Amino acid sequence: MVTELSCCLTPLVVITYNPRQLKLKTTMLKQLQELKLKALQELESIRDFKQLESWRIQYLGKKSSLTTMLRRLASLPLAERKTAGARANQVKADLEDSLRQKEQALREVQLATHVKAETIDITLPGRPAPTGRLHPITQTLNEICDIFAAMGFQVVEGPDVEWDYYNFEALNIPEEHPARDTMSTCWVETDSGERPMLLRTHTTSVSARTIERTTPPIRVVAPGKVYRYEASDATHVPMFHQVDGQVVDKGITMADLKGTLYEFARRFFGEERPVRFRCDYFPFVEPGVEMAIGCLVCDGQGCRLCGHSGWIEILGAGMTHPRVLQLGGIDPEIYSGFAFGIGIERLPMLRYGIDDIRLFYGSDLRFLRQF
Amino acid sequence: MKVPLKWLKEYIDVTLPPAELADRLTMAGIEAKGMQAIGGRWANVVVGRITAVNPHPNADRLHLPTVDVGTEQLTVVCGAPNLSVGDKIAFAFVGAELIDGHTGQRARLKTARIRGVASSGMVCSEKELGISDSHEGIMVLPPEAPVGTPLADYLGDTIFDLDVTPNRPDCLSVIGIAREVAALTGQSLRFPEVSYAETEPGIDRQISVEIADPDLCPRYCATLITGTRIAESPPWLQQRLLAGGLRPINNIVDVTNYVMLELGQPLHAFDYEKINGKKIIVRRATGGEILTSLDGVERTLSGNMLVIADAERAVAIAGVMGGANSEVTGETTSILLEAANFNPASIHYTGRHLALPSEACMRFERGIRPELTVPAIKRATRLMLKVGGGQAARGVADVYPGRQDHRPIRLQTDKVKRFLGAEFRPDQIAGTLSALGFDCKPAAPATEFMVTAPYWRNDISQAVDLIEEVARIIGYDKIPTTMLSQSLPPQNPDPVIGLKRKIRDRLVGYGFQEVITYSLTGLEMLNKLKPRTRVVEPMPIRLFNPMTAEQEYLRPNLRPNLLTALAANRRHEDGGIRLFELDKIYLRRRKDLPEEPEVLCGLMSGARNEPSWQGDGGGLDFFDVKGVVEGLLGQLSVEAGFAPGDDESLHPVKQAVIVVGGRRLGVIGELHPEVAGAFDITGTAYLFEIDVAALLPFTIEHKMFQPIPRFPDTVRDIALIVDAGVSHQQITDIIRGFPLVHRVAIFDVYSGGQVPPGKKSLAYRVTYQSPAHTLTDEEVNKVQQKILGRLARQLGATLRA
Ligand SMILES: [Zn+2]
């Protein structure tokens, strides 16, 4: 379709057939063929965009021989003009196509050269962004409080320096109770005649305060520091952390205690970790419970870490002692509850295989940066 | 509490393998911390009897004993000096696994030729059998040892190491553990024999007992044995004591200890001849009364300690230790035996104040029952007659002013369900309690019982105590697992807890490492913070019983521990260090618990950025620490100003107080060089400190949305020359006071060069904007002229050429 030649070409003039122009047509077809071969040959050797532009002007420009030839088609008779025109347009389209391909090829080469010049050593370290970390104990406390918060527990805090009453008396541990011996206490100097003051030996003191000031339902966890009069070694420090929990409501059962603590163990230690509840004694609960998990090192086979028992004690718990509820002004005939206390340091020690508890409080960046 | 399985088997048939028994006890509340098998590796070792001892033909020091092993007579070579014909010994056949006496290595016994004589077997020392380290001679067995019996059958045992909780003093005895095993396994218990032949005259005619202070001594029992012979205890008794962790002394003292381990009742033996006036008085010590105790130490007693006295003097510290003046010695022939019950708190007090913890003391202070005295004293009297001979006076002197029988407790079986969340049948509940020795009488209605605790239990006073018994014996694993089903309690979270978490997270984002340090510190450390005054004011709160001088006081600020941490880390860190701690400090309050404000303290020191191949950004300075605080407070929506500060620990001029809402809520600044020096900090450090709880009210600001400007802004730069003393704040306060000024930012501070001395140049970028229209140049010029005019008038500012 001659009339459909692209717009860059001069529109063809429709002329009538003339048999004398037959020879002209043959010559033209031959010329077109030669032109095409020559153009493609030259294109092959082109190496940059400047040469390419000259090539375009030479072969496809307004003054190119192809354009001229196309113009000359006008002198051919209609029938001839059709075939010759189609041929000429074909050659033009082929050349344009080749031009585009060449252009693309040159662009790729150019880009490759460019990019190569921009090569960097990607193994060099990045510009450091500021990185600090939460202390592993803070991380663990956050994790535990979040697990219990998801079960409707509210986080509460209380004083580190506590009256003897909330740390002991209110928890069913009167003066001269043998349980006091197992919690060597740091006493705080007071003026004579003042009530005895101490550094709390457990955050159960916060539970005692909560029971005293809250009308049930109660569902709280109390994270915080606790203190013991104990010399430091790899397994003892005079200050450590605890999360104490307390639930009081109508109809709370030991099955609820087990369910809640199972859920904690499942989320903290994973689905597969076996959990065991056994009888234990704490003055502020009855029945008393100890929860242990299957040893992380030997998976229950028995090793040094678990004292060859296959179990590692994680927390103490139990049904809140009626006396504790009574002292806090709650009627144990109407309400029941459970309590638990989790020692914190042990958990990251187990999780990361830390063998010296003092590392937590040595503030050594080489340790703290690992978490 | 160490309990040998063989001893336990005297009172109960144990059918469970030891490991399973340990597990059952553990689950029921008596934790088996350890289990030691004795003789587990004594294959091919039997009891033998030496029938002849001949000299070795080629060696003076070696002998050739012939041993009867039941089936044959064997002659071996032996170097031990204590071979004597007729002795029972442990004989090892070839193939037995023994410990080499010299190397300590375990090895299998082979046939050997020693100095030309063949030897197939061995007479063993205790060390070779792994019983003790004794290797001086062979182990001689009791004469009753049956020849030919495997040694493991005769001497082997399993020792349980049990952790008895403080509420179960009744389990500090072999019989107590046997009772637990009985309840757990359904076996029945055999109580040891307590009867003995009694002779006239009766005890009451030979001793009188008076309890002067019955509040501290609910019961006192005594028996009398005359004509006894003090000697070494028979081997079986010694072995039992050793297995229980007690040292054998003599037959009489050993029996008191034996019965204590067996039944849980401590006993004391007096030399009857040394009791003046044949009178026992249980009374409080007179203040300052002196008694030399059995260990030879002179003890000064106080008025709230209880003593056992005779007509003239104290003869024992009740329940804690006997007196030297009435001690049983080798010459003793008459024994006055005591089994008494004392007030637990009193014993606890006395034991603690005299620093005399003992097995007896531990049992008394945990509260054993007064009913125990009679069976225990009878059992001990019987055993003393057996091992020491003599006659026992008829009867038991028994003064019992503190009788308190167990009252029945009503147990509703539906309460068991309400409490445990598990349904147990009434017969299951009654059966479990009965197996533990409780008396369970059906009551009306049929779902209730009247339950009376057995005489040995001291830990049962209400229904929940019974419920625990049921739960632990049936097993906690039989209780189902449920999630809390009650409606959620209302939540009123403490905003300070949330604020602390926010601040910690933000600082971590700024590259700060959180540290947690001890709440306790030392005065010396605190003094280092005061380069001028060297005095900590007010005095921090002191512990009554500090462990060390470094942990003597409750910290009144977070600084010393944090500065110590910085100095310690600097020894191995050469880059920038950023540390913070957010925790309580402790401030004294009159007649109340201390105030415990939550304080944030941070330190930064060294290079601005971590050292990198692109440099470290230079050293940190005052404006880094200020930027951190501004960023943090900005994030918390707290508007803060900064004013010159006067903190003694900080650089006199490179410090500021943080002012929020007109209150001074913190400080920032460079560490005072002397403080840095005192804490061994190389280089300088910058500190910030903020009272977190006081910040709280300012963080709950009600924010209003600001529309995004619809019209373009106009930006103008102004470079000013002012006196060096003029502050940035003064200039921006003036500029910000004008309308259309949207933003003012300083972008250059310069002095020297073309700036005249005593002056400085400050360059500001002022952004003008109107919410209503696009500003024209004329409008902006007019405002800017006014600004420059006021800056010139009020601060003498000129435009920089
Ligand atoms: Zn293990």
Side-chain angles (χ1 to χ4, degrees):
Chain A
M1 288 296 177
V2 174
T3 45
E4 283 182 26
L5 278 170
S6 71
C7 60
C8 71
L9 298 172
T10 316
L12 291 169
V13 183
V14 179
I15 48 172
T16 50
Y17 175 71
N18 184 343
R20 280 186 300 151
Q21 288 169 323
L22 190 64
K23 182 157 184 272
L24 177 62
K25 181 197 144 196
T26 320
T27 320
M28 236 172 94
L29 289 176
K30 201 177 159 211
Q31 280 175 340
L32 271 171
Q33 187 59 25
E34 282 165 3
L35 181 73
K36 182 181 168 186
L37 280 173
K38 185 163 174 265
L40 290 179
Q41 229 163 29
E42 278 178 29
L43 188 64
E44 188 75 8
S45 59
I46 281 173
R47 289 288 169 265
D48 60 39
F49 283 102
K50 210 176 144 200
Q51 289 172 334
L52 191 66
E53 181 58 10
S54 340
W55 182 89
R56 189 191 66 79
I57 292 165
Q58 187 182 344
Y59 291 105
L60 292 166
K62 282 176 186 169
K63 289 173 183 161
S64 65
S65 40
L66 184 61
T67 310
T68 318
M69 260 189 263
L70 280 166
R71 265 195 217 108
R72 277 163 54 201
L73 280 174
S75 55
L76 290 176
L78 185 62
E80 302 293 317
R81 209 190 310 156
K82 254 189 182 163
T83 45
R87 188 57 191 273
N89 277 328
Q90 185 57 49
V91 168
K92 185 169 157 51
D94 287 351
L95 291 184
E96 280 172 342
D97 215 36
S98 301
L99 170 68
R100 267 193 299 275
Q101 279 174 23
K102 187 71 186 182
E103 242 170 14
Q104 178 64 23
L106 280 181
R107 211 175 289 126
E108 272 165 24
V109 169
Q110 191 188 45
L111 194 67
T113 323
H114 232 92
V115 162
K116 205 172 172 198
E118 286 177 344
T119 298
I120 54 165
D121 178 359
I122 52 105
T123 66
L124 281 170
R127 220 165 264 123
T131 43
R133 284 180 170 84
L134 290 177
H135 193 282
I137 294 299
T138 306
Q139 292 182 35
T140 312
L141 286 171
N142 286 350
E143 186 177 348
I144 292 171
C145 289
D146 288 348
I147 289 172
F148 283 104
M151 290 190 271
F153 284 75
Q154 186 175 306
V155 181
V156 292
E157 291 182 347
D160 288 21
V161 183
E162 189 53 280
W163 299 119
D164 180 290
Y165 178 78
Y166 290 111
N167 196 79
F168 289 129
E169 301 268 334
L171 295 171
N172 199 26
I173 313 173
E175 190 78 17
E176 306 293 346
H177 189 290
R180 287 198 179 206
D181 291 355
T182 62
M183 291 186 272
S184 340
T185 309
C186 296
W187 296 93
V188 174
E189 238 177 32
T190 49
D191 298 333
S192 62
E194 263 189 74
R195 286 184 280 166
M197 232 185 243
L198 47 79
L199 292 181
R200 63 180 175 197
T201 59
H202 45 201
T203 53
T204 319
S205 57
V206 185
S207 293
R209 284 174 172 270
T210 307
I211 288 172
E212 188 184 75
R213 100 173 153 244
T214 321
T215 313
I218 294 170
R219 215 184 279 188
V220 293
V221 278
K225 290 185 163 65
V226 299
Y227 304 84
R228 298 285 166 89
Y229 183 78
E230 245 166 19
S232 296
D233 61 30
T235 51
H236 298 88
V237 273
M239 180 193 88
F240 50 98
H241 291 76
Q242 232 180 37
V243 170
D244 201 85
Q246 181 69 56
V247 174
V248 182
D249 206 341
K250 288 176 185 161
I252 298 291
T253 69
M254 201 159 150
D256 295 332
L257 175 158
K258 282 183 69 181
T260 304
L261 296 178
Y262 255 127
E263 176 62 9
F264 161 69
R266 187 187 70 80
R267 288 196 51 191
F268 196 90
F269 299 104
E271 201 88 45
E272 306 306 321
R273 186 67 35 204
V275 175
R276 176 183 88 171
F277 293 90
R278 59 171 285 264
C279 178
D280 202 351
Y281 168 75
F282 308 99
F284 36 92
V285 290
E286 183 85 342
V289 176
E290 176 217 276
M291 187 180 91
I293 57 164
C295 180
L296 289 96
V297 170
C298 65
D299 270 318
Q301 298 306 300
C303 70
R304 209 169 53 89
L305 179 73
C306 57
H308 304 282
S309 71
W311 295 96
I312 291 183
E313 183 189 338
I314 292 301
L315 58 86
M319 298 301 288
T320 308
H321 199 288
R323 176 107 186 101
V324 172
L325 293 177
Q326 254 161 5
L327 287 167
I330 293 174
D331 185 351
E333 290 303 314
I334 301 172
Y335 292 102
S336 55
F338 67 81
F340 55 89
I342 311 170
I344 302 306
E345 278 73 2
R346 201 173 165 72
L347 302 179
M349 287 178 86
L350 287 172
R351 190 179 267 183
Y352 304 117
I354 299 165
D355 57 3
D356 191 335
I357 193 171
R358 290 169 295 193
L359 285 167
F360 289 117
Y361 305 111
S363 301
D364 193 321
L365 287 167
R366 295 169 295 184
F367 172 74
L368 296 172
R369 277 197 198 116
Q370 297 181 32
F371 304 100
Chain B
M1 168 92 191
K2 292 231 188 341
V3 177
L5 182 60
K6 271 196 176 161
W7 196 349
L8 195 62
K9 282 179 171 171
E10 279 192 14
Y11 317 115
I12 186 148
D13 296 327
V14 177
T15 49
L16 293 174
E20 203 173 314
L21 183 64
D23 187 56
R24 294 288 293 276
L25 284 168
T26 298
M27 293 302 282
I30 296 168
E31 187 185 4
K33 281 183 299 186
M35 223 172 62
Q36 190 197 346
I38 294 177
R41 306 177 81 160
W42 289 346
N44 295 316
V45 183
V46 299
V47 176
R49 194 174 69 89
I50 300 175
T51 53
V53 179
N54 292 306
H56 191 289
N58 308 322
D60 288 348
R61 294 190 162 200
L62 294 177
H63 310 278
L64 302 178
T66 302
V67 179
D68 173 10
V69 295
T71 48
E72 55 187 319
Q73 304 258 338
L74 292 164
T75 301
V76 294
V77 178
C78 182
N82 62 334
L83 295 165
S84 61
V85 173
D87 272 2
K88 300 284 180 67
I89 49 88
F91 184 84
F93 292 104
V94 167
E97 231 186 62
L98 298 175
I99 295 169
D100 187 298
H102 302 288
T103 64
Q105 299 294 311
R106 204 170 268 282
R108 208 164 280 282
L109 187 62
K110 293 184 204 117
T111 304
R113 277 192 89 77
I114 301 164
R115 294 283 188 103
V117 180
S119 184
S120 299
M122 193 159 150
V123 182
C124 305
S125 71
E126 291 191 4
K127 183 169 183 180
E128 283 158 343
L129 292 167
I131 293 173
S132 77
D133 276 341
S134 168
H135 191 55
E136 291 78 52
I138 54 153
M139 180 172 72
V140 180
L141 298 172
E144 67 267 20
V147 170
T149 310
L151 189 70
D153 292 355
Y154 179 63
L155 270 192
D157 204 349
T158 299
I159 314 261
F160 297 101
D161 186 6
L162 303 175
D163 196 2
V164 176
T165 53
N167 60 324
R168 294 298 304 275
D170 62 299
C171 284
L172 291 169
S173 63
V174 182
I175 197 82
I177 300 302
R179 287 190 183 111
E180 288 287 300
V181 176
L184 287 167
T185 60
Q187 302 282 338
S188 51
L189 191 84
R190 296 181 290 272
F191 198 80
E193 193 56 61
V194 296
S195 63
Y196 54 88
E198 301 176 40
T199 54
E200 294 294 345
I203 177 106
D204 293 339
R205 293 175 53 193
Q206 305 186 64
I207 193 85
S208 84
V209 175
E210 180 201 335
I211 300 177
D213 289 305
D215 58 323
L216 299 188
C217 179
R219 191 174 196 178
Y220 194 97
C221 296
T223 58
L224 179 64
I225 298 166
T226 50
T228 196
R229 227 188 90 246
I230 307 299
E232 203 174 83
S233 292
W236 66 267
L237 180 50
Q238 296 199 22
Q239 274 170 26
R240 287 267 159 99
L241 291 185
L242 286 168
L246 293 177
R247 197 166 46 86
I249 294 164
N250 61 45
N251 51 1
I252 297 302
V253 175
D254 290 354
V255 166
T256 63
N257 283 330
Y258 179 86
V259 174
M260 176 176 72
L261 293 179
E262 184 183 43
L263 302 180
Q265 168 71 49
L267 300 121
H268 183 65
F270 296 100
D271 184 335
Y272 176 67
E273 304 303 333
K274 296 175 188 161
I275 302 297
N276 295 304
K278 304 306 167 213
K279 195 170 170 54
I280 288 289
I281 306 162
V282 186
R283 59 160 172 86
R284 283 184 164 83
T286 52
E289 189 167 359
I290 287 168
L291 175 66
T292 303
S293 49
L294 278 177
D295 53 3
V297 179
E298 200 171 88
R299 312 272 174 185
T300 307
L301 309 177
S302 70
N304 36 16
M305 294 175 180
L306 194 70
V307 295
I308 312 298
D310 63 13
E312 291 168 12
R313 57 190 180 156
V315 290
I317 307 163
V320 176
M321 198 178 257
N325 55 15
S326 57
E327 184 181 3
V328 171
T329 63
E331 285 73 50
T332 301
T333 55
S334 301
I335 303 292
L336 181 70
L337 182 60
E338 163 202 292
N341 190 273
F342 301 112
N343 177 291
S346 161
I347 298 292
H348 184 243
Y349 173 88
T350 307
R352 201 155 41 95
H353 281 79
L354 297 180
L356 272 177
S358 66
E359 290 276 328
C361 203
M362 175 184 64
R363 284 169 174 80
F364 281 126
E365 67 188 27
R366 291 184 181 191
I368 49 173
R369 295 287 303 174
E371 288 91 328
L372 258 179
T373 52
V374 172
I377 204 166
K378 286 187 169 170
R379 172 71 173 155
T381 306
R382 177 188 162 91
L383 290 176
M384 282 181 187
L385 293 172
K386 187 174 159 193
V387 302
Q391 300 84 40
R394 180 183 47 77
V396 175
D398 184 2
V399 183
Y400 193 2
R403 192 184 182 99
Q404 258 197 330
D405 290 337
H406 281 313
R407 276 202 303 268
I409 300 164
R410 181 177 293 274
L411 179 65
Q412 302 154 309
T413 49
D414 62 326
K415 187 170 182 172
V416 177
K417 189 193 171 190
R418 280 210 314 275
F419 211 69
L420 298 180
E423 190 127 29
F424 295 125
R425 290 186 319 275
D427 63 298
Q428 219 179 344
I429 293 169
T432 305
L433 289 170
S434 303
L436 283 164
F438 287 76
D439 178 48
C440 259
K441 285 199 175 61
T447 55
E448 295 188 4
F449 294 102
M450 293 307 289
V451 184
T452 310
Y455 75 82
W456 56 85
R457 293 293 293 267
N458 203 27
D459 58 323
I460 308 290
S461 59
Q462 40 188 314
V464 285
D465 300 327
L466 300 174
I467 294 174
E468 176 177 66
E469 294 302 303
V470 173
R472 72 183 185 89
I473 297 297
I474 293 180
Y476 284 2
D477 50 344
K478 301 289 187 303
I479 294 169
T481 297
T482 55
M483 289 302 278
L484 288 167
S485 55
Q486 286 77 0
S487 57
L488 272 181
Q491 305 279 307
N492 302 298
D494 180 351
V496 175
I497 296 174
L499 180 62
K500 284 194 290 184
R501 200 147 164 179
K502 229 186 218 175
I503 291 175
R504 286 195 178 107
D505 286 345
R506 177 116 293 243
L507 283 170
V508 162
Y510 287 162
F512 282 77
Q513 170 65 51
E514 185 190 19
V515 298
I516 298 177
T517 66
Y518 291 117
S519 309
L520 298 162
T521 188
L523 214 50
E524 198 189 325
M525 297 260 283
L526 290 165
N527 283 336
K528 287 182 186 174
L529 293 169
K530 303 281 185 180
R532 245 189 357 252
T533 53
R534 292 273 164 214
V535 174
V536 185
E537 276 285 316
M539 267 302 273
I541 302 161
R542 191 177 171 272
L543 286 194
F544 178 77
N545 54 341
M547 208 117 43
T548 62
E550 290 77 46
Q551 298 188 351
E552 188 176 353
Y553 290 90
L554 282 162
R555 59 183 178 195
N557 62 62
L558 301 178
R559 294 178 185 184
N561 294 350
L562 215 50
L563 290 168
T564 307
L566 173 64
N569 278 297
R570 184 48 81 207
R571 278 174 218 129
H572 50 79
E573 298 287 332
D574 37 358
I577 297 180
R578 290 171 165 84
L579 302 174
F580 81 96
E581 182 166 18
L582 197 179
D583 227 308
K584 289 169 172 177
I585 61 168
Y586 308 86
L587 307 174
R588 190 184 294 277
R589 271 196 299 215
R590 271 185 61 78
K591 295 199 178 301
D592 202 353
L593 294 176
E595 193 189 339
E596 298 185 5
E598 300 274 1
V599 171
L600 165 67
C601 188
L603 278 180
M604 47 206 302
S605 173
R608 184 164 293 127
N609 302 328
E610 274 181 55
S612 153
W613 52 284
Q614 293 181 316
D616 60 10
L620 291 160
D621 64 27
F622 177 85
F623 297 101
D624 288 285
V625 72
K626 192 177 179 200
V628 167
V629 170
E630 284 171 333
L632 176 69
L633 295 180
Q635 175 75 16
L636 300 171
S637 307
V638 174
E639 274 192 44
F642 294 85
D646 58 355
D647 191 308
E648 199 186 328
S649 312
L650 299 177
H651 189 291
V653 296
K654 290 187 197 166
Q655 65 161 299
V657 289
I658 306 167
V659 183
V660 179
R663 293 182 57 194
R664 298 156 76 104
L665 295 190
V667 295
I668 56 171
E670 183 179 316
L671 204 61
H672 194 291
E674 276 188 49
V675 175
F679 280 93
D680 285 329
I681 293 167
T682 18
T684 187
Y686 297 88
L687 174 145
F688 60 92
E689 194 176 64
I690 299 174
D691 183 341
V692 170
L695 207 59
L696 188 70
F698 303 101
T699 62
I700 316 169
E701 174 216 35
H702 187 64
K703 267 190 199 171
M704 287 300 289
F705 155 78
Q706 296 292 321
I708 294 163
R710 287 171 57 204
F711 301 97
D713 54 19
T714 306
V715 173
R716 294 288 166 86
D717 288 351
I718 314 173
L720 299 169
I721 303 279
V722 290
D723 284 347
V726 171
S727 77
H728 159 74
Q729 177 101 40
Q730 289 173 292
I731 295 169
T732 50
D733 281 352
I734 289 177
I735 301 176
R736 286 209 176 92
F738 282 86
L740 302 183
V741 172
H742 183 62
R743 211 165 36 237
V744 187
I746 186 160
F747 64 89
D748 189 37
V749 180
Y750 177 74
S751 56
Q754 298 102 340
V755 179
K759 302 267 182 186
K760 63 182 175 184
S761 157
L762 302 172
Y764 291 91
R765 174 156 295 179
V766 185
T767 309
Y768 297 92
Q769 190 151 46
S770 160
H773 63 283
T774 304
L775 292 175
T776 62
D777 271 358
E778 292 87 86
E779 277 177 293
V780 173
N781 289 344
K782 236 163 91 183
V783 179
Q784 184 137 338
Q785 281 314 311
K786 281 188 191 163
I787 290 174
L788 293 174
R790 190 171 298 172
L791 286 172
R793 275 199 308 284
Q794 294 191 354
L795 302 177
T798 55
L799 268 182
R800 191 173 169 192

